[in-house]
Each structure stands twice: as C-alpha cells, then as structure tokens.
Amino acid sequence: MVRAYKKPQQGTSWQQRIALQILFVTLASISGITVFSAWKQASVQAQNNNVARTAQEGRQWSEASFPVENFQRYTSPYGYRKSPTTGRVQFHRGLDFAAPLGSYIRNWWGGKVVGLSDHTACGTMVVIQSGEWQHIYCHLKGTVQRTSDGLVMVDRGGGIRLRKGQRVETGRRIGRVGMTGRTTGPHLHWELKYEGEHLDPALVLREMYNQQQAATQ
Ligand SMILES: [Zn+2]
C-alpha cells in the first residue's frame, strides 16, 4: 500500500501560529481596554466639569430634591451592563432606584414639563427641563391622555395630573413608582442630560450630598 508522504511543514509550526494569534488577541484587548478606560476617564471628567459649571452658575446643589420617596437601594448604575430583560450588553443611560410600588416620585429641580409619553420601553414617562438640564423619569404609574387641555399624564390613584408645558417646583410630587414599560420590578429609572448629553446621575447626587454636608457643618 502506497501511503501519501506528508511533507513536513515549512515556516511557522502550528504551535507558533497559535502563540502568535494569542499574542495578537492579547495586544488587541489590552489596547482596547486602554482606549476604553481613557475614554471613560475623559467622559467622567467632562461630566464632572458640567456639574461644576452648574455650581459656578450659582445653582445650589443642596437645594435639589432626592427624586424618590421610600428609597430602598440602587439596583443598576449608569454605564455598560447586561440588560436584565434581553441579556445583551448595552449602555444603561440612567440610574435605577428600587422603591415599593406606588412610592411617590419628587421633582428633582424646578422646571417645565417638556415631555410626556407612555408607549416606549420607558413606560409612563415624564421629562422636565430646568435650564440646561433635562431630567427624565421612567416606569411611572398612570397613563398619558390627549385632552382639550393638551397632553396630560394622569395617575388618579396617586392624585397626580401633570400637563405638558406646566411649571413644577422643586420637590413636588410628579408621579408614583410603577411597572410600566420594560421593567422586571418596581423602580424609578432616572436619566439626566446636560445640554442634550447624558451624564451619570450619581455624580449629581454626590454633589448634592457634598453641599448638604458643607451646609450643615
Ligand atoms: Zn434603568
């Protein structure tokens, strides 16, 4: 029986090729991580600058209201995470506050109601504009209705009626924690934007805390 003679391979062996591939993947991920952490650092720096700029404009962070009553815990931070509903990695643009169903939500800063909606993953949503800042509240109880008075968010059980265009003062009850939209449990999903750019609400909460501490000392 004639057996085909297998010529010894020339050049790099398979072990060498695998070693090179491992080296390549390692280098690629190290540079990827470096670029990502540099980007993240720059992004946090830029966000901190926006928070600081607002303080320079004379806004007292200590006057802002914590956005939810009966707060239990933070269930999901701002940033990349594995989505609890889809399992895919995505950017979470808000901060989640767990609170019992029906807990009242308070307006973080005095402003104007600029958005009301109840047909997206955000569920029943309220958007309030305060100067350069926009605050977004998701998964509320209640529904949005078109009335002769314009667009209105109504939560009868909570005694809430919010009209688009209406002014709301700091700390006013603007809704209740519900389960509308895409959610696995009762919580407030809260987003903050400065000049149209999202930023980490935790940076603002920390600044509110710092100023309140300074004011009581
Ligand atoms: Zn969320």
Side-chain angles (χ1 to χ4, degrees):
M1 194 165 84
V2 180
R3 294 184 69 172
Y5 172 67
K6 208 169 171 224
K7 228 171 70 176
Q9 273 183 343
Q10 291 183 350
T12 53
S13 70
W14 65 272
Q15 288 99 334
Q16 281 172 318
R17 283 205 306 274
I18 286 182
L20 277 172
Q21 274 169 11
I22 289 173
L23 183 69
F24 176 75
V25 169
T26 310
L27 285 176
S29 35
I30 288 172
S31 53
I33 290 164
T34 312
V35 168
F36 178 72
S37 49
W39 167 80
K40 205 175 167 190
Q41 236 170 11
S43 158
V44 168
Q45 191 54 51
Q47 292 178 29
N48 268 323
N49 290 345
N50 286 340
V51 175
R53 194 176 344 154
T54 298
Q56 281 159 15
E57 284 161 6
R59 181 170 291 193
Q60 291 301 309
W61 286 114
S62 55
E63 289 167 13
S65 170
F66 192 77
V68 69
E69 295 180 16
N70 308 318
F71 168 68
Q72 289 170 315
R73 62 191 176 278
Y74 298 107
T75 43
S76 199
Y78 176 86
Y80 284 100
R81 66 158 187 188
K82 204 174 204 182
S83 163
T85 48
T86 64
R88 283 200 300 263
V89 173
Q90 51 185 219
F91 200 85
H92 182 234
R93 296 194 296 184
L95 176 64
D96 289 351
F97 302 77
L101 202 65
S103 299
Y104 279 99
I105 291 165
R106 288 184 178 265
N107 183 27
W108 167 70
W109 206 285
K112 190 169 141 188
V113 178
V114 292
L116 293 172
S117 146
D118 65 357
H119 61 270
T120 70
C122 182
T124 298
M125 172 182 80
V126 171
V127 184
I128 294 172
Q129 186 86 36
S130 310
E132 295 300 335
W133 290 85
Q134 206 171 72
H135 22 139
I136 300 157
Y137 306 78
C138 292
H139 312 306
L140 275 53
K141 276 182 175 280
T143 55
V144 175
Q145 299 161 15
R146 203 166 282 281
T147 69
S148 55
D149 211 14
L151 213 55
V152 174
M153 191 280 271
V154 181
D155 168 10
R156 282 204 181 78
I160 306 276
R161 192 179 186 277
L162 220 55
R163 186 177 48 81
K164 192 176 171 184
Q166 173 185 346
R167 294 207 67 83
V168 276
E169 64 273 30
T170 305
R172 198 203 124 153
R173 286 173 165 181
I174 52 168
R176 290 187 302 160
V177 171
M179 286 278 285
T180 55
R182 205 182 298 145
T183 170
T184 53
H187 73 278
L188 166 66
H189 168 97
W190 193 48
E191 292 182 18
L192 282 182
K193 285 184 184 177
Y194 181 80
E195 291 179 340
E197 300 265 345
H198 276 92
L199 98 182
D200 185 354
L203 298 175
V204 167
L205 290 178
R206 195 183 59 197
E207 209 44 46
M208 284 163 58
Y209 172 80
N210 287 345
Q211 287 201 4
Q212 278 161 12
Q213 288 296 101
T216 54
Q217 266 161 19

